[in-house]
Amino acid sequence: MTVLTYDTPDELASATADRLAAALASAQAAKGTASVVLTGGRTGNAVLAALRSATLDWSSLDVYWGDERFLPAGDPERNETQARAALLDHVPVSPARVHPMAPSDGELGDDPDAAAEAYAVLLADVATFDVCLLGVGEEGHTASIFPHSPAVEESARAVVAVRDCPKPPPTRVSLTLPTIRRATEVWLMTTGAAKAEPVAAALAGAGEVDIPAAGARGKRDTLWILDKSAASHL
Ligand code: 6PG
């Protein structure tokens, strides 16, 4: 486990974008392609915006999401919409290699379980992700896995529908912790004093049912990427 601390959210975003570009380029150099799992949230989107100017073979990159807010296609609150605005609309990614979770008005209908199942089928052929980006919530959630929720206990399914989420919108679709743990590297990125408590709890060894972010680990490395405020209780 590695903890990286930056003075400001802007420094974090720019340094993390550089680190991500380097990690993905190195995966591409080793095996021809790279894969990244994107997160919603302010910190994640700031990193994506900073990644726009990176030099990368964008056409050899597979893009997945760790969670999605279950809303109609193009809704400004969807993580997909925000990631497209921050990064994907600005770089020459291959559209066929961008893999969003289903919207609530798509061909699967307004059924988050169907959306979760379809994403699990898509991921069945994906053994690993090179980098899984995640945010952290004030009560310790990551992706859309909230403390003491059914999703945090899920061990059989790769992707689940999540209902009654404390963070709006209430209905979401999320990778489960075992799926997140397929990633070679997991990067938990968060900023601000409101995140200091869950960060300190996770790093002090809290259980994943209390602090789901504590259960997000990469096969090779887990990076906690913090600004000074989020690191203030360490
Ligand atoms: C989402 C997220 C969620 C987010 C955290 C942190 O869809 O809302 O994926 O897990 O990353 O809540 O969000 P902030 O960086 O905005 O605090």
Side-chain angles (χ1 to χ4, degrees):
M1 171 121 61
T2 307
V3 179
L4 303 167
T5 305
Y6 297 93
D7 280 343
T8 65
D10 282 351
E11 283 176 43
L12 181 152
S14 122
T16 306
D18 289 349
R19 179 180 295 271
L20 184 56
L24 297 175
S26 133
Q28 287 172 337
K31 57 191 170 77
T33 65
S35 58
V36 65
V37 177
L38 304 185
T39 174
R42 292 157 296 181
T43 306
N45 279 304
V47 170
L48 294 189
L51 192 64
R52 272 188 215 179
S53 49
T55 308
L56 195 65
D57 177 4
W58 295 103
S59 65
S60 300
L61 180 67
D62 282 293
V63 179
Y64 301 92
W65 272 264
D67 72 327
E68 187 53 275
R69 298 137 179 213
F70 195 60
L71 295 166
D75 189 293
E77 288 302 315
R78 263 178 71 81
N79 289 338
E80 176 195 355
T81 311
Q82 295 184 5
R84 288 191 187 279
L87 174 69
L88 302 173
D89 288 347
H90 306 274
V91 293
V93 281
S94 160
R97 300 185 76 161
V98 175
H99 309 284
M101 292 177 174
S104 62
D105 61 348
E107 57 191 34
L108 300 173
D110 189 10
D111 177 0
D113 290 299
E117 176 56 25
Y119 213 65
V121 168
L122 175 91
L123 293 187
D125 291 334
V126 183
T128 189
F129 312 108
D130 292 308
V131 180
C132 176
L133 301 175
L134 292 169
V136 180
E138 295 177 18
E139 77 304 67
H141 76 254
T142 195
S144 289
I145 308 169
F146 289 83
H148 302 276
S149 66
V152 77
E153 312 269 7
E154 180 65 47
S155 58
R157 287 178 294 169
V159 188
V160 289
V162 184
R163 295 180 171 82
D164 303 321
C165 293
K167 179 180 183 180
T171 308
R172 292 157 171 262
V173 176
S174 186
L175 304 193
T176 56
L177 287 173
T179 309
I180 288 169
R181 292 195 283 256
R182 282 193 217 167
T184 304
E185 296 192 21
V186 165
W187 297 9
L188 293 129
M189 315 171 292
T190 194
T191 56
K195 310 295 177 68
E197 224 176 281
V199 166
L203 289 169
E208 64 196 37
V209 175
D210 291 330
I211 304 284
R217 294 184 294 275
K219 284 188 290 199
R220 184 172 68 202
D221 208 355
T222 307
L223 269 57
W224 283 81
I225 304 176
L226 312 170
D227 75 341
K228 246 185 350 206
S229 306
S232 62
H233 290 193
L234 295 183

